[in-house]
Amino acid sequence: MSAKYSLQAVATASQNRAAIESHPRIWQSNRYVYPVISRRSGGLSIGVNLNPDKRCNFDCIYCSVDRRIPGDVAPVDIRVMALELGVMLDQAGSGDLFQMPPFSQVTPELRRLNDIAFSGDGEPTSHPELLECCKIAKAALDARNLASVKIILISNATLLHRPRVQKALEFLDGCKSEIWAKLDAGTPEYYAMVDRSAFSFAQLLENIAACARRRPIVIQSLFMKIDGVPPAPEEVDAYGRRLADIIEMGGKLRRVQLYTVARQPAVPSVSPLNFQELQSIAEAVRRILSHPTPFPVEIFP
Ligand code: SF4
């Protein structure tokens, strides 16, 4: 890399940083829809928060949702959500969004609208009208001829076996869509420590495998230091083996995304891994999965 290119890259990165680091799920007066420049999406992701009440059936030690501030417990009004989504898509399409800070700082290559993502302050599949919400997203994209824009469902995978959720997944199968399922551990003990859920690890793995047997999915996993210590090599090895189990059970994985803590975690003893630590987990996972062909493992330090 030349010195000139290197300086340009640094300038570009710092230009985008404000928008990438700005991850509030509140945008102007919106209740549900918010824009994000997402490293994992490589562009603009329009988030839909179906859990403004901040309730979740996980209690991850790294969660960045600030539950000291009470959420909005009113039922989600999906007509308001639809209106907000339409306005946001229009603002992204017209470029008006990129006139407003911090998005006015974003460099042109990251202004590409990549997706609508059901994510937010809890588990989106817990919303009783998930299917209807997916239909609203698809209709909003169709009305604007945005056939290349994906609908992404980001889930902790606990409810993927419910018939109501499966109907939404089947609807998404007919759209340009991706399911991103969370898996943060290789052993029940580490899962219990990190995700702090009453939901069993065995059922979680079965849900992910069953979902991946029906369509290729993305696995997203957060690794961190706890009390300054990265996950033990045995845990990383077990994690890679759980992914291998999913594939052996007939599951199809598009790719694995490894990331680390980027915002204030729920538990103060949690801190981010550095690039080398994340990279070494990725290499261990690639070694386990890369038979017979290399397996895509992406890292987001
Ligand atoms: S699943 Fe997501 S929202 Fe729920 S506690 Fe974990 S990080 Fe937070």
Side-chain angles (χ1 to χ4, degrees):
M1 187 188 286
S2 72
K4 183 176 169 220
Y5 179 77
S6 172
L7 284 172
Q8 277 173 349
V10 169
T12 301
S14 77
Q15 210 178 324
N16 290 324
R17 190 170 300 131
I20 288 173
E21 287 178 352
S22 157
H23 242 279
R25 296 192 179 105
I26 301 294
W27 171 252
Q28 299 186 337
S29 58
N30 281 8
R31 291 171 66 189
Y32 311 111
V33 174
Y34 57 98
V36 171
I37 297 298
S38 164
R39 291 182 305 157
R40 283 181 281 165
S41 289
L44 174 65
S45 174
I46 296 181
V48 181
N49 182 8
L50 294 182
N51 307 92
D53 59 5
K54 302 188 180 179
R55 289 197 192 120
C56 189
N57 59 359
F58 271 20
D59 182 20
C60 304
I61 58 174
Y62 59 79
C63 186
S64 60
V65 177
D66 186 352
R67 295 192 167 88
R68 293 167 304 179
I69 302 169
D72 176 359
V73 293
V76 172
D77 186 334
I78 63 173
R79 289 166 309 171
V80 173
M81 186 275 279
L83 286 172
E84 290 180 0
L85 185 57
V87 170
M88 184 65 67
L89 286 169
D90 290 340
Q91 286 182 333
S94 67
D96 287 354
L97 178 67
F98 298 102
Q99 305 299 315
M100 301 177 226
F103 298 93
S104 50
Q105 299 289 310
V106 172
T107 51
E109 75 281 3
L110 284 181
R111 295 186 176 199
R112 179 187 63 86
L113 174 57
N114 186 72
D115 59 80
I116 295 172
F118 289 102
S119 176
D121 288 342
E123 172 50 33
T125 62
S126 66
H127 191 274
E129 292 178 286
L130 179 67
L131 171 60
E132 197 52 43
C133 294
C134 292
K135 287 181 178 175
I136 287 170
K138 171 81 162 68
L141 293 174
D142 287 350
R144 293 163 180 82
N145 292 318
L146 293 170
S148 65
V149 176
K150 285 179 235 174
I151 302 173
I152 297 178
L153 176 64
I154 303 178
S155 172
N156 66 17
T158 49
L159 306 176
L160 297 181
H161 59 304
R162 298 257 172 103
R164 175 185 59 71
V165 178
Q166 296 210 345
K167 284 200 178 94
L169 297 178
E170 283 158 18
F171 175 79
L172 290 176
D173 289 341
C175 311
K176 188 175 168 68
S177 67
E178 285 185 356
I179 311 301
W180 293 9
K182 179 196 288 293
L183 179 65
D184 292 332
T187 61
E189 294 78 18
Y190 192 77
Y191 163 73
M193 180 173 69
V194 166
D195 292 336
R196 301 192 297 187
S197 173
F199 199 80
S200 91
F201 189 54
Q203 175 76 61
L204 185 82
L205 291 171
E206 177 47 38
N207 278 9
I208 295 173
C211 184
R213 279 195 289 269
R214 300 291 301 273
R215 79 279 295 161
I217 65 168
V218 176
I219 296 288
Q220 47 144 14
S221 305
L222 190 142
F223 287 101
M224 74 214 91
K225 288 185 189 129
I226 303 172
D227 292 324
V229 181
E234 297 76 21
E235 183 61 34
V236 173
D237 186 65
Y239 164 78
R241 292 189 189 288
R242 295 298 79 75
L243 295 177
D245 293 343
I246 291 167
I247 295 169
E248 271 171 30
M249 286 191 274
K252 295 177 281 298
L253 304 184
R254 285 178 192 270
R255 60 191 181 280
V256 171
Q257 298 184 328
L258 303 179
Y259 61 114
T260 191
V261 181
R263 285 172 288 283
Q264 182 74 38
V267 171
S269 59
V270 168
S271 59
L273 297 177
N274 62 34
F275 177 82
Q276 285 77 15
E277 290 160 339
L278 212 48
Q279 178 74 343
S280 76
I281 295 175
E283 281 165 10
V285 173
R286 285 189 197 110
R287 272 197 300 277
I288 294 169
L289 296 184
S290 292
H291 298 288
T293 51
F295 189 87
V297 180
E298 302 170 343
I299 64 169
F300 298 90

